[in-house]
Amino acid sequence: MGISRDSRHKRRNTGGRRHPHQKKRKYECGRPPAMTKLGPKNVHVVRARGGNLKFRALTLETGNYSWGSEATTRKTRILQVVYNASSNELVRTNTLVKGAIVQIDATPFRQWYEQHYGESIGEKKGAKKADKKKRKPKKQSDHVVRKLARRRKNHAVDNALNDQFVVGRLYARISSRPGQSGRCDGYILEGDELTFYLKKL
């Protein structure tokens, strides 16, 4: 029969039954959901109406995620799905859909932060002294030292976010549609939004 997006099969507002006066039309067709899972990248191209193309991601494992407060974006690995408002089944099966809360690898963002501010992020308090002895200080010009000091001035990272850097996993929200665009991009949760979702976990 196929999936149809018509309304002729539904009853009238009064409750009366509609008699079908025409068959299903091609322009009313629908398609089964992609149900994108975690795994090596596998994207199918689907021809849509008007010769347009949709990119149906069947499995994905990476995506571009933005850190809003720092205005930077990095490609990183998606580790697991931790929350979905619509169904716990989508969490259990690691299904990637728009609006899902996932954990991503923090390494690319840690590397950017250390390069941009000249200081480490997400270090445990007890491990600081031992790590500093192992690391050799980079040779930097006076101009670079002053520039990094200016960036660090009046700059602070939220404690909830810093704790996630210690573990190496950041909470993020998917903002793209993997089944339509073939991509799984999103943004890192911060502030009130992060607090809201931490209560849900």
Side-chain angles (χ1 to χ4, degrees):
M1 289 294 289
I3 300 171
S4 182
R5 296 167 56 244
D6 70 320
S7 58
R8 290 187 306 279
H9 66 283
K10 299 178 83 69
R11 286 177 177 266
R12 296 188 174 92
N13 291 335
T14 57
R17 184 166 170 268
R18 279 201 188 102
H19 291 278
H21 67 281
Q22 70 179 39
K23 293 184 177 182
K24 293 180 179 181
R25 297 293 189 254
K26 173 69 174 167
Y27 57 78
E28 295 169 344
C29 76
R31 298 183 186 88
M35 303 299 280
T36 309
K37 299 289 191 291
L38 267 178
K41 183 178 178 181
N42 182 12
V43 179
H44 285 190
V45 179
V46 178
R47 185 195 180 277
R49 186 170 167 84
N52 295 303
L53 298 178
K54 289 187 176 184
F55 300 95
R56 184 85 73 237
L58 303 180
T59 54
L60 287 173
E61 59 185 355
T62 59
N64 289 328
Y65 286 84
S66 65
W67 189 354
S69 61
E70 298 292 346
T72 187
T73 302
R74 289 291 177 274
K75 182 179 180 180
T76 184
R77 285 189 309 121
I78 303 165
L79 302 175
Q80 66 173 16
V81 179
V82 293
Y83 178 73
N84 193 312
S86 59
S87 172
N88 284 332
E89 182 71 9
L90 300 178
V91 178
R92 188 183 66 80
T93 55
N94 275 332
T95 304
L96 303 172
V97 293
K98 182 177 178 178
I101 306 302
V102 296
Q103 277 190 324
I104 59 174
D105 185 17
T107 304
F109 295 99
R110 177 189 280 111
Q111 291 171 344
W112 172 86
Y113 189 92
E114 291 175 357
Q115 179 263 328
H116 188 74
Y117 289 103
E119 64 178 6
S120 57
I121 185 175
E123 283 189 341
K124 295 179 181 177
K125 293 179 180 178
K128 276 189 177 180
K129 293 180 181 178
D131 290 346
K132 282 182 179 178
K133 289 179 182 178
K134 291 179 183 178
R135 291 179 186 173
K136 293 180 180 179
K138 290 182 180 179
K139 290 184 180 180
Q140 294 174 331
S141 65
D142 291 341
H143 170 71
V144 172
V145 171
R146 288 197 305 273
K147 182 173 72 174
L148 294 178
R150 190 168 62 249
R151 286 175 179 172
R152 286 194 297 265
K153 189 179 179 182
N154 300 326
H155 176 268
V157 177
D158 186 25
N159 287 334
L161 201 59
N162 193 60
D163 293 341
Q164 292 176 50
F165 272 106
V166 174
V167 181
R169 291 169 168 240
L170 302 175
Y171 289 115
R173 189 173 191 267
I174 299 174
S175 57
S176 67
R177 301 172 68 193
Q180 306 290 321
S181 64
R183 300 172 65 90
C184 192
D185 302 337
Y187 59 91
I188 294 172
L189 295 177
E190 299 179 89
D192 293 339
E193 192 175 12
L194 175 60
T195 306
F196 173 81
Y197 282 112
L198 285 176
K199 289 177 182 176
K200 298 284 186 181
L201 299 176

